[in-house]
Every structure is written in structure tokens, then in C-alpha cells.
């Protein structure tokens, strides 16, 4: 309780859920604060048969679609760009960068093709090179790690905090060697990392911090936006993300020199500010080309207008859903660090305890939940033993730059073992962010469906075995 916030100030009494869900029995809340009066409100008429066993699903209605596109407010800007014929990077991308920086309260922002390349460019221009070790979490999307490999560096995995699912600051220092150059906290699922402790360790050991905020748009830690606390922060605007453009990404930082270099690097190494179409500017540094287009920026500008409101809705619904789920045995939602003032909730996660569901395996639980009309997934699988790492180690570039024992894959896998992450990968259940954008009754449906499965877990397990 002292280390984490157990509930984000949700003030919704359990009673309202029981009234609206109509599927619970008092027995479900043995550990809770259910009073006799509450149990009288319970209607058990549709509690009998779970949908997977042929009953009526808790929900048939569609969930909030993603992305949300409102032609009346969103379209004109995009149409204007298309008709202008100015499609390569120009004023619209610059405007998007300004607006994104303003939304985050950071000095500079550079838009690029995607979040993966935002990380590649930021790492590169923070001078991460072959031989350097970068501390990364194992509970992340593969792009965090490939960005490290793309720069020839070595990912070193730091296990997660089992309550928050984020890189555990207590486990960082044991992984630091003379080769360590950077820490890459990933605000995974849109839940912020414990940045005070991470920054303190980075200062102590003179390490660079690159925040992977690709799932953490407008999340806040100590009143500061995720992505603006380290040396640089990286964002993704891929279709599923909370600010969707289809593809797109951004690097943000207060460091002008760094941002000038990043700009050059994403545009052939031409000097900062060089316009698209200028071919004789002369390059003094090696670069690549990962520019955003004008119509992508136009989509981003249109949707950015709704991001703040949507983020508030996700936070309110997540807090409410968390409070409803906390009464169901075997469902253990995420915790947030005390300094987290806002999360992004790119995903809503909880741990599923098979034992509390009569031994019903997670896969069968997910099937039963989908049958009730609630989309869900099991999330990430273990990342730090996958063959893409071995493939990188076997490349000429790595073979020429690292000692043989550093590239011994079995040894690497053993050294990078993250038991807490392995456990989480086996237990996690996710709901996607768009499910948190509907009315509160959508949250009631999720909780009711899970409660119904819990009540019928034995029957569902037996049916699954047949
Ligand atoms: C999506 C994502 C990325 C990569 O972003 P893209 O735009 O898809 O390239 C990187 N890190 C994390 C944590 C992500 O979720």
C-alpha cells in the first residue's frame, strides 16, 4: 500500500455494479464488504448458463470502434493537403510537431515514420553504438529491442516489478557493467515507470535515459508527461495506438542539440531545418530518411484534438473497472506507482489466477470471455529468449564487434532470465484501450462476464476437457 496506489481514487461503490450486472451471487464477495441489503438487489435470472456453454452472452453490442474518425471535424484538413499536392514533409508536419510538443510540455518534437524508427534515431543520436549495453525491460513490444539491435548495441534485460509490470528499479543496478550506456524504460501498456528512481540511478552511473513512450501518450508521472523525463522520449502513432495515424512516430526532448542532430539524421544528414526538395545542402553527418508525410500530419492534428478527453475517459473507466474487478477472486489488476498522476491505458491488464477459477486454464478463460462478447487477449510472450536475438548475434557485424562469450546465446538467455516476466506472460489478460472509451455500463459488462465465468469455472473447465 505504501509503494503503490491500489485504486486510482475510484469512488464508485460496488453496489452500483451489482445492481446493473444482475449476474452475481453473494458468495462471490466473501472477502468484500457486501451487506445483506446489497444481495437483495441481485437478479440471478441470466446467471445460469455461460455463453460458451450455450447461454445468452452478457453482451451482444459492439465496442467502441478504433480509430475514431469524424468526417465533419476531422476530414477537411486532410482533404486540403491532398488537393494542395504538397505531400512530402512541409508546414503541416512542422505544425504537428509544435502541437505535439505543446501537448507534452516539452521544447522540441520531431515526427518520423514510426515509433520503431523514433527509437532507432534517438538511440543513434544519443551515440549508442556497437559494444554498448542498453538496459531494457522484458515485458515490451519487440520494437523496443530491435531498435537497440539496429544500432549494433546489446540489450540487457532487467526484470519487471510484478505489481506494476514495469522495469523494476530495484533490479537495475545489478545489471550495470562498465559497458552500460543507457536505460530504456518502456511505459508499457501506458502505465508509467517509476521515473524518479530510474533517473536517480542514471545520474549516479552517468547513463543516458531513452523513454519508450510508444504506448504512453499523455501519461503523467509527478505531473510530467511520460517521454519528457529522460534525455529523449519516443512515441508511436501506429493505428492501434492512442493517437493513431496509421503509421507515424515522434522523438521529443528539451535538448536542442540532440533534436537538431535527430532532424539531420532523419533527412540524409542535411543541416537542421533543410527543406524537403533541397538537394545541394551538403551533409556533414551520416543519415537516413524516415520523414513523415503532410497527410499523415494532417490526420494526427485532427485526432490530437480529442486525445486529452479520451485519455480522461480511459482513466475514469479504468479506475471504475478496476474497482469492480477487485471483488472477483482470482482477478488481480495492475498497480500504479504513487507518483503516477495519469496513465494512458493503451491496455487494461490484470493477472488471472487459474487456481481461483477452479483450475480453468487462461486460454479457456479467454475463450469463455470472448463468448460472452468481451474481446480479450493474453498479451506478450517471453521476448528475451527469442531467435531474433540469436540471429543478430550470428551476424557479421556482431561477430566482429563482441567477444565470443558475449554472443554465446545459451549463456545470454541464462544471464537475462526474468522470472517475474515469465510469470506475468503466463497470467496476463488484456483489454484494448478502445474498450475503455464507452459508457460505464461497458465496464459493467466486462465485470459481469468475468464474474459469470468465475461462478461457472468448474463447469466450463469440465466442458473444455471433453
Ligand atoms: C508500438 C510500439 C513501438 C513501435 O512503434 P511503431 O510505430 O509500431 O513502429 C515501440 N515500442 C512499443 C512499446 C510499442 O508499443
Amino acid at each position: 500500500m505504501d509503494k503503490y496506489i491500489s485504486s486510482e481514487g475510484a469512488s464508485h461503490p460496488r453496489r452500483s455494479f451489482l445492481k446493473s450486472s444482475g449476474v452475481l451471487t453473494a458468495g462471490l464477495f466473501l472477502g468484500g464488504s457486501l451487506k445483506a441489503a446489497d444481495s437483495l438487489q441481485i437478479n440471478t435470472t441470466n446467471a445460469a448458463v455461460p455463453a460458451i456453454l450455450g447461454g445468452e452472452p452478457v453482451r451482444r453490442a459492439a465496442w467502441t470502434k478504433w480509430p475514431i474518425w469524424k468526417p465533419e471535424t476531422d476530414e477537411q484538413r486532410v482533404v486540403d493537403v491532398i488537393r494542395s499536392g504538397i505531400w512530402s514533409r512541409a508546414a503541416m508536419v512542422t505544425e504537428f510537431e509544435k502541437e505535439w510538443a505543446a501537448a507534452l510540455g516539452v521544447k522540441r518534437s520531431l515526427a518520423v515514420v514510426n515509433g520503431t524508427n523514433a527509437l532507432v534515431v534517438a538511440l543513434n543520436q544519443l551515440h549508442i553504438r556497437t559494444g554498448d549495453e542498453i538496459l531494457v525491460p522484458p515485458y515490451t513490444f519487440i520494437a523496443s529491442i530491435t531498435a537497440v539491435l539496429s544500432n549494433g548495441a546489446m540489450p540487457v534485460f532487467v526484470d519487471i516489478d510484478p505489481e506494476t509490470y514495469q522495469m523494476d528499479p530495484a533490479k537495475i543496478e545489478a545489471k550495470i557493467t562498465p559497458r552500460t550506456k543507457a536505460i530504456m524504460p518502456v511505459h508499457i501498456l501506458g502505465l508509467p515507470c517509476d521515473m524518479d528512481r530510474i533517473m536517480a540511478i542514471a545520474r549516479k552511473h552517468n547513463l543516458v535515459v531513452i523513454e519508450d513512450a510508444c504506448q504512453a501518450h499523455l501519461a503523467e508521472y509527478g505531473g510530467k508527461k511520460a517521454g519528457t523525463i529522460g534525455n529523449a522520449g519516443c512515441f508511436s502513432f501506429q493505428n492501434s495506438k492512442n493517437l493513431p495515424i496509421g503509421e507515424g512516430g515522434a522523438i521529443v526532448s528539451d535538448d536542442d542539440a540532440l533534436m537538431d542532430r535527430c532532424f539531420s539524421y532523419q533527412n540524409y544528414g542535411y543541416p537542421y531545418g533543410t527543406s524537403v526538395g533541397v538537394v545541394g545542402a551538403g551533409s556533414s553527418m551520416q543519415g537516413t530518411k524516415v520523414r513523415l508525410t503532410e497527410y499523415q500530419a494532417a490526420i494526427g492534428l485532427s485526432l490530437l484534438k480529442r486525445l486529452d478527453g479520451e485519455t480522461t475517459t480511459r482513466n475514469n473507466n479504468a479506475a471504475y473497472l478496476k474497482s469492480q474487478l477487485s471483488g472477483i477472486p482470482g482477478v488481480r489488476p495492475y498497480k500504479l506507482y504513487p507518483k503516477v498522476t495519469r496513465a494512458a491505458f493503451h491496455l487494461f491488464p490484470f493477472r488471472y489466477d487459474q487456481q481461483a477459477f477452479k483450475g480453468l486454464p487462461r486460454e479457456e478463460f479467454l475463450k469463455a470471455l470472448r463468448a460472452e462478447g468481451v474481446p480479450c487477449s493474453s498479451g506478450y510472450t517471453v521476448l528475451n529468449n527469442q531467435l531474433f536475438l540469436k540471429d543478430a548475434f550470428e551476424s557479421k557485424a556482431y561477430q566482429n564487434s563482441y567477444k565470443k562469450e558475449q554472443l554465446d546465446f545459451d549463456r545470454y538467455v541464462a544471464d537475462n532470465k526474468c522470472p517475474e516476466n515469465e510469470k506475468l506472460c503466463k497470467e496476463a489478460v488484456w483489454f484494448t484501450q478502445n474498450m475503455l472509451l464507452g459508457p460505464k455500463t461497458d465496464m459493467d459488462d466486462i465485470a459481469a462476464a468475468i464474474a459469470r465465468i468465475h461462478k461457472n469455472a468448474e463447469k466450463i473447465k469440465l466442458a473444455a476437457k471433453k
Side-chain angles (χ1 to χ4, degrees):
M1 274 307 290
D2 49 342
K3 211 170 145 212
Y4 309 106
I5 299 172
S6 53
S7 141
E8 293 73 70
S11 59
H12 319 286
R14 181 168 292 156
R15 180 192 295 244
S16 63
F17 162 51
L18 292 169
K19 274 181 188 159
S20 55
S21 67
V23 298
L24 295 178
T25 64
L28 254 175
F29 288 113
L30 280 176
S33 57
L34 196 66
K35 293 196 193 81
D38 291 298
S39 61
L40 295 176
Q41 303 290 337
I42 296 170
N43 160 10
T44 53
T45 49
N46 65 349
V49 189
I52 193 133
L53 301 179
E56 182 67 15
V58 165
R59 183 184 175 98
R60 287 194 185 277
W63 297 87
T64 304
K65 250 179 68 180
W66 193 257
I68 297 169
W69 186 252
K70 298 182 176 169
E72 58 285 9
T73 52
D74 304 344
E75 212 140 289
Q76 193 57 50
R77 189 193 297 271
V78 182
V79 171
D80 289 348
V81 167
I82 301 281
R83 292 191 178 157
S84 77
I86 301 169
W87 296 348
S88 257
R89 188 194 158 100
M92 195 68 77
V93 174
T94 305
E95 188 184 339
F96 175 70
E97 289 171 341
K98 286 212 172 100
E99 295 279 322
W100 185 235
L104 299 180
V106 69
K107 206 163 162 191
R108 299 270 296 269
S109 153
L110 172 72
V112 293
V113 285
N114 53 42
T116 307
N117 277 282
L119 289 165
V120 170
V121 171
L123 285 165
N124 191 281
Q125 290 310 311
L126 284 162
H127 308 301
I128 301 306
R129 294 289 182 272
T130 291
D132 296 340
E133 291 178 358
I134 314 302
L135 304 180
V136 294
Y139 200 64
T140 187
F141 182 55
I142 187 172
S144 315
I145 314 307
T146 52
V148 173
L149 297 174
S150 295
N151 281 293
M154 181 64 77
V156 173
F157 290 89
V158 176
D159 206 355
I160 56 161
D161 178 325
E163 304 289 348
T164 63
Y165 318 151
Q166 309 302 315
M167 173 188 274
D168 189 344
K171 294 167 190 150
I172 293 177
E173 284 193 291
K175 295 280 184 161
I176 294 176
T177 75
R179 294 183 294 273
T180 310
K181 287 287 153 56
I183 309 177
M184 185 198 281
V186 182
H187 307 289
I188 206 64
L189 317 181
L191 316 181
C193 294
D194 197 359
M195 290 307 292
D196 277 357
R197 290 175 72 196
I198 291 171
M199 293 308 291
I201 294 165
R203 274 190 296 273
K204 183 174 159 197
H205 297 271
N206 198 22
L207 304 175
V208 162
V209 174
I210 302 114
E211 295 175 72
D212 180 342
C214 286
Q215 298 187 1
H217 311 73
L218 303 191
E220 282 177 21
Y221 177 95
K224 280 190 180 164
K225 295 284 192 297
T228 70
I229 301 166
N231 298 73
C234 295
F235 290 88
S236 166
F237 308 120
Q238 188 272 340
N239 230 48
S240 69
K241 302 295 163 83
N242 294 17
L243 179 55
I245 298 182
E247 299 290 351
I251 304 161
V252 303
S253 179
D254 286 328
D255 181 341
D256 278 322
L258 167 67
M259 292 306 290
D260 287 357
R261 288 200 304 276
C262 287
F263 183 97
S264 292
Y265 189 71
Q266 64 91 45
N267 191 31
Y268 305 115
Y270 288 155
Y272 169 69
T274 302
S275 300
V276 166
V278 173
V279 292
S283 281
S284 55
M285 63 180 271
Q286 190 201 325
T288 180
K289 184 197 182 190
V290 285
R291 299 190 308 228
L292 199 71
T293 65
E294 290 286 275
Y295 41 85
Q296 287 174 299
I299 293 172
L301 280 165
S302 286
L303 298 195
L304 180 52
K305 300 217 180 309
R306 283 199 294 274
L307 179 61
D308 189 63
E310 288 167 348
T311 305
T312 299
T313 304
R314 287 187 194 99
N315 274 266
N316 290 341
N317 272 330
Y320 177 65
L321 178 59
K322 185 179 182 180
S323 74
Q324 303 298 42
L325 295 183
S326 66
I328 305 176
V331 174
R332 196 146 60 92
Y334 63 90
K335 286 183 181 172
L336 299 174
Y337 292 105
K339 280 193 84 170
V340 174
T341 39
R342 197 184 202 193
F345 292 105
H346 180 59
L347 293 144
F348 179 102
F350 66 85
R351 279 177 192 268
Y352 171 76
D353 177 3
Q354 180 173 336
Q355 291 323 310
F357 279 72
K358 306 276 167 101
L360 179 72
R362 182 180 58 169
E363 273 319 304
E364 300 301 330
F365 167 80
L366 292 170
K367 271 191 219 160
L369 194 49
R370 287 181 199 122
E372 299 292 350
V374 179
C376 51
S377 80
S378 53
Y380 296 129
T381 52
V382 172
L383 190 63
N384 50 334
N385 58 7
Q386 289 184 21
L387 293 179
F388 73 95
L389 288 157
K390 189 164 188 264
D391 185 56
F393 294 179
E394 285 169 357
S395 69
K396 261 229 166 76
Y398 274 71
Q399 298 273 327
N400 288 342
S401 325
Y402 289 88
K403 294 200 190 90
K404 218 177 163 68
E405 60 265 29
Q406 283 180 283
L407 302 180
D408 177 336
F409 190 63
D410 291 338
R411 181 176 157 165
Y412 177 86
V413 169
D415 285 351
N416 282 279
K417 243 185 153 14
C418 294
E420 288 298 346
N421 177 58
E422 287 175 26
K423 207 162 164 243
L424 179 61
C425 288
K426 283 191 197 122
E427 295 179 352
V429 173
W430 288 359
F431 302 123
T432 52
Q433 51 82 16
N434 59 302
M435 294 168 72
L436 301 175
L437 289 176
K440 247 167 134 185
T441 48
D442 283 7
M443 306 305 106
D444 292 332
D445 284 347
I446 295 173
I450 295 173
R452 181 190 276 185
I453 294 166
H454 182 270
K455 183 166 178 281
N456 293 282
E458 183 79 40
K459 274 188 239 162
I460 296 171
K461 185 183 70 179
L462 291 174
K465 273 189 180 158
K466 279 181 199 153

